[in-house]
Every structure is written in structure tokens, then in C-alpha cells.
Amino acid sequence: MNTEAFRLDVRQARRAFGRAARAGKDSAVLQREVEGRMLDRLDYIRVQPARILDVGCGAGRGLASLGRRFPNAELFGVDFARPALGAARRSESRIARAWRSLAGPALTYVCADFSHLPFRSGSAAMVWSNLALAWAADALSALREIHRVLSPGGFLMFSTYGPDTLKELKAAFAVASGMSHVHSFVDMHDLGDMLVASGFAAPVMDMETLTLTYADATALVGDLRASGQTCAAVGRRHGLMGRGVWSRMLESYESRRSQGRLAATIEVLYGHAWKGEPRVEAEGRRVVKIEMRTKIQR
């Protein structure tokens, strides 16, 4: 897999999500929809984690859902955009009501990204991440870091974007410009391979396609900016976009209009996996399980 196509400017992404959080607009319709679908999948998995990390928690909506699902769990909201954590704190009363008692387990916010999660190895029982892995500088490194902080038997559940996401917008920009204006996203099979390479056991991946429709391309781009999901690819165009590029993109996208609306494809990838028992200790010594049996003579 050519990883150059997926290189991300994390500082640019952090600034974009920070601006969106400071604006205070609730434009995370897609995130809420995918969160609900993740929770439906969680119904089939029996876990009662004592400590949960919501990595890429944003304004904290997922924390409220996790609090309702696991009222005895200690929750950590982790995000790389400090203004997003500020928005989460402002909505903390809503999150706290998810617990049966305000005297329940702690809720803590941590400003960090996937590259360095400031938690001890093996300290979390579950990691939850909704549409955030796409904003990691390197998906494989992020999965390895998640594996590190999970305890043996710990559980990862995540969603992210697949390569067909915003394919109409990408094609329209390709007609107008040779520069990157839309992210490239990792394929489901490559993500499954990364889970295995990171040490996860029994990974499960699946995919579904959602279609959003807009009155025009300007409304779509406005939605992306309001939610912080602007292009942060390393090879993106820097500076202001020329009027000619923008006009050609709009014209190309308009040619795709159907039944009075413009479609925007969102390919959502879902994954979950477990951290197995360690086979090698931190010092490099291999762990071998020995089962002792005693034969009883009668």
C-alpha cells in the first residue's frame, strides 16, 4: 500500500476541528448517525469494561452514550483539539445524567492524539473511536498505540471513512485542479491487515455506504467546514483557492445532479478486535503457557 497518499498534516486538522468547536455549530449529523450504528453493533458483544477511552471524542456526544451503556465505567474523553474538549466540558451535565448517580465513576478529558496516548500500557479495557481514525497521521501507528494501552482481553471498536467517501467531490475537483482537495482514505482490507499487524486478535471489518444529498456543492463544502472536516492532506493546495478552480469544480459537480439534488457518498468502515494474551514480555522473553494436570490413581 502506498502510504504517501494518506499522509496527513495533523496540525492543520487540529486547527480545523478547533475552529469548528469554537464556532459552536452542531453540524455533526453524520457522526451521530454512525455512533448509533456502532452502538447497535455493540449489542452483540458482551463487554463490561471498567475503563473506556473515547479517542477523538469531539464535543463529547459519544461519552453520553457510553455512560448510559456502561454506567459503572470510568470514562476518558480524548481529543487532539483543545476547543473540542472545552465544548465537551460545557455539555458535561448532559453526559453526567447518563449515569444513574452523579457520584458514579469519573469522567476525565485528555488533550492528545493517536500518535501518543498518555496512558500506561494495559490500562484501558475498551477503546471507542467514532470517525476519528481518518485524522491520525498514520493509521498503523495509531492502531499499535491503541493496542499498547489496552489490557489483555481489551476491546477496540471504531468507525472510519472508506476510499469511496466524497468520491463525487473528489472527481469534480480532479477536473478543476491537479492538487489534492479531498482526502484519500484507507481501504477496509488494508485496515484489517493493520489490525493483525498491530497484534489484535479476531478482527472483524464491515462496510456500508451512506448517501447524503445537498441543494448544491457549496452547501456540502459548508457542512464539511462547519464540522472541521476540511482537507488536511500533506499534498493539499496551500493558500486561497483560485476562482477558476472553484468555478470549474462547481460546474463539474453540477453535471452529476439527479432529481434536483447533488449526492455525496460516504463509505463508512466499522471494525472491532480484541487484544489477546501477551506472547512476548516487554523484555523480549516469550510467554509460554503451561497447563499442569494431575493424574489421580484410583
Side-chain angles (χ1 to χ4, degrees):
M1 182 180 63
N2 178 18
T3 58
E4 286 297 309
F6 307 102
R7 289 181 62 206
L8 186 79
D9 184 342
V10 175
R11 290 179 297 180
Q12 170 63 19
R14 184 184 296 118
R15 286 193 293 268
F17 280 102
R19 284 194 299 269
R22 283 191 293 268
K25 294 182 179 178
D26 187 10
S27 56
V29 175
L30 179 62
Q31 284 79 358
R32 290 197 300 274
E33 177 64 27
V34 174
E35 176 193 304
R37 295 173 186 233
M38 289 176 67
L39 290 169
D40 289 342
R41 285 166 167 77
L42 196 56
D43 288 340
Y44 300 97
I45 301 169
R46 293 187 177 181
V47 289
Q48 285 300 323
R51 174 179 287 179
I52 304 172
L53 312 184
D54 182 354
V55 183
C57 69
R61 298 176 188 87
L63 291 168
S65 299
L66 292 169
R68 285 189 293 271
R69 182 65 63 97
F70 304 110
N72 297 317
E74 182 182 13
L75 292 183
F76 286 81
V78 183
D79 202 277
F80 66 175
R82 196 174 296 276
L85 294 176
R89 288 189 180 93
R90 289 191 292 274
S91 63
E92 186 168 332
S93 60
R94 172 175 55 84
I95 297 170
R97 287 195 295 272
W99 280 281
R100 297 182 207 141
S101 169
L102 292 178
L107 170 60
T108 305
Y109 301 102
V110 178
C111 189
D113 63 21
F114 284 102
S115 65
H116 180 71
L117 297 174
F119 299 93
R120 294 193 313 274
S121 298
S123 62
M126 177 177 168
V127 171
W128 168 278
S129 185
N130 179 20
L131 295 179
L133 187 61
W135 309 105
D138 178 72
L140 178 58
S141 297
L143 291 172
R144 285 174 172 163
E145 182 68 352
I146 290 171
H147 185 272
R148 179 189 67 79
V149 302
L150 279 172
S151 58
F155 178 69
L156 164 66
M157 175 168 272
F158 70 92
S159 62
T160 189
Y161 296 111
D164 275 349
T165 297
L166 298 177
K167 63 181 181 180
E168 299 89 354
L169 183 62
K170 181 180 287 188
F173 266 122
V175 171
S177 168
M179 303 295 292
S180 295
H181 295 274
V182 181
H183 277 290
S184 294
F185 298 104
V186 180
D187 179 81
M188 177 175 70
H189 302 290
D190 288 330
L191 271 176
D193 291 343
M194 290 180 190
L195 285 168
V196 173
S198 301
F200 283 98
V204 175
M205 297 289 305
D206 67 305
M207 177 272 289
E208 64 179 345
T209 299
L210 307 179
T211 302
L212 307 180
T213 63
Y214 290 86
D216 52 50
T218 302
L220 165 61
V221 173
D223 255 10
L224 294 173
R225 287 174 177 165
S227 62
Q229 300 182 96
T230 58
C231 184
V234 169
R236 73 190 184 283
R237 179 187 177 92
H238 293 267
L240 296 175
M241 185 187 305
R243 290 183 180 178
V245 171
W246 181 253
S247 297
R248 289 193 296 273
M249 184 279 289
L250 292 179
E251 183 179 354
S252 177
Y253 213 146
E254 275 294 326
S255 68
R256 304 168 185 272
R257 185 175 291 276
S258 175
Q259 297 180 344
R261 305 283 289 180
L262 295 181
T265 297
I266 308 294
E267 182 182 352
V268 183
L269 308 183
Y270 301 91
H272 67 261
W274 302 86
K275 179 173 180 176
E277 295 290 337
R279 296 183 180 180
V280 178
E281 292 182 345
E283 297 83 0
R285 293 177 294 184
R286 185 168 294 276
V287 176
V288 179
K289 286 190 173 182
I290 302 175
E291 183 178 354
M292 300 295 292
R293 296 185 180 182
T294 303
K295 184 176 182 180
I296 301 176
Q297 299 289 342
R298 291 186 180 272

